[in-house]
Amino acid sequence: NHGEEALAYLANHSVDLIVLDNNMPVMNGLETLKKIREREIEGKVLLFTVSDNSKDVQDALQLGVDGYLLKDMEPEDIIKD
């Protein structure tokens, strides 16, 4: 799937949680996140990615991401308090 498909789905459905892969074809996760925020779509947004590049993290935070998860994280680290 890609960002445009996600936006089309979100235009017609209410969700509590949106999980985006930053490495999507057509429109990546950051671009999709930007559109989600511009359209004021409800729901928490998590960005799931392989990039721990500080610029990517900073861009995601500036765009209003609710969480940033690395694909190589251990499951225990994801659920820590």
Side-chain angles (χ1 to χ4, degrees):
N1 294 338
H2 55 76
E4 290 178 355
E5 290 175 335
L7 291 171
Y9 180 87
L10 292 168
N12 297 306
H13 298 85
S14 177
V15 299
D16 294 323
L17 179 64
I18 304 161
V19 179
L20 300 174
D21 186 338
N22 197 38
N23 191 24
M24 295 185 293
V26 182
M27 182 187 302
N28 73 25
L30 287 174
E31 294 166 334
T32 306
L33 171 61
K34 182 178 180 182
K35 298 280 186 191
I36 287 170
R37 294 305 186 217
E38 288 172 352
R39 296 176 188 185
E40 299 181 353
I41 294 170
E42 296 292 321
K44 301 281 185 185
V45 180
L46 297 179
L47 190 63
F48 196 55
T49 182
V50 296
S51 175
D52 63 356
N53 179 298
S54 61
K55 178 160 177 20
D56 289 344
V57 175
Q58 192 172 35
D59 289 347
L61 291 171
Q62 288 177 343
L63 290 171
V65 76
D66 295 293
Y68 192 95
L69 301 174
L70 297 175
K71 290 181 180 182
D72 64 355
M73 290 178 74
E74 295 296 326
E76 298 83 22
D77 293 337
I78 294 173
I79 59 172
K80 280 185 180 176
D81 295 316

